[in-house]
Amino acid sequence: MISSTMEKALLSQLNDEFYSAYIYLAMSAYCSHLEFNGAASWFKLQYEEEHLHATRIYNYLVEQGVHVVLGKLPAPPSEYGKLLDVFKASLAHEQSMTSRLNDISDQALKEKDHATYNLLQWFVNEQVEEEATIGGIISKLKLVKDDGYGLLMIDNELGARKAEGPAV
Ligand code: FEO
């Protein structure tokens, strides 16, 4: 049993994870439009991962006996600029997710809600990994700037990313 405050926070986080999936699908579509097919595939896998994140929270809420009422999703942006800008937008998005997850973790600690805190630590760790990965891609993109060959090399590398499989 979780508190009504925690229920509200997790329902909002569920919505945010679905929005994350949605924004990554929009980024994938934008990269396809630019013919960066490797980056498009990378963002598509990110979309799938975020869907699994949402499912992880959904499953937890159901286990806690919550009637899950799904909210609306805003439309994500459709234009992002250069490939570097897409990844910068992705990093900014993840940083805002980290901040929200930290706030909910603080709330869980305040309520001595260890079950929810435990769930949230998985997400907090995942955020560290995601921010590091995206930060690394940004560094490479900054190095090559507008060099076409460099961009193609990075796009190929991004296309080699494999799905991690469900972990919900
Ligand atoms: Fe589920 Fe990338 O935050």
Side-chain angles (χ1 to χ4, degrees), residues 102-134:
N102 283 338
D103 288 346
I104 310 174
S105 292
D106 284 348
Q107 179 65 25
L109 278 181
K110 201 172 121 201
E111 293 184 17
K112 295 189 173 31
D113 178 352
H114 293 285
T116 303
Y117 183 74
N118 203 27
L119 170 88
L120 292 168
Q121 289 323 284
W122 182 90
F123 282 91
V124 168
N125 291 334
E126 180 77 2
Q127 288 305 118
V128 173
E129 197 188 304
E130 285 191 334
E131 285 188 27
T133 303
I134 299 165

Side-chain angles (χ1 to χ4, degrees), residues 60-167:
Y60 180 76
L61 285 165
V62 169
E63 271 169 17
Q64 290 286 354
V66 172
H67 174 197
V68 176
V69 178
L70 299 170
K72 280 186 191 164
L73 291 178
S78 55
E79 301 286 334
Y80 295 89
K82 293 181 179 182
L83 190 58
L84 173 61
D85 300 317
V86 192
F87 279 93
K88 279 185 174 171
S90 158
L91 183 60
H93 175 71
E94 289 303 337
Q95 286 167 338
S96 75
M97 292 292 280
T98 300
S99 162
R100 264 168 277 167
L101 283 160
N102 283 338
D103 288 346
I104 310 174
S105 292
D106 284 348
Q107 179 65 25
L109 278 181
K110 201 172 121 201
E111 293 184 17
K112 295 189 173 31
D113 178 352
H114 293 285
T116 303
Y117 183 74
N118 203 27
L119 170 88
L120 292 168
Q121 289 323 284
W122 182 90
F123 282 91
V124 168
N125 291 334
E126 180 77 2
Q127 288 305 118
V128 173
E129 197 188 304
E130 285 191 334
E131 285 188 27
T133 303
I134 299 165
I137 297 168
I138 288 175
S139 299
K140 284 185 189 171
L141 287 168
K142 280 183 177 165
L143 271 179
V144 302
K145 298 196 174 87
D146 288 327
D147 176 66
Y149 183 71
L151 286 170
L152 279 179
M153 293 284 286
I154 293 174
D155 191 50
N156 268 341
E157 216 178 284
L158 291 169
R161 177 182 176 183
K162 301 257 181 294
E164 279 170 30

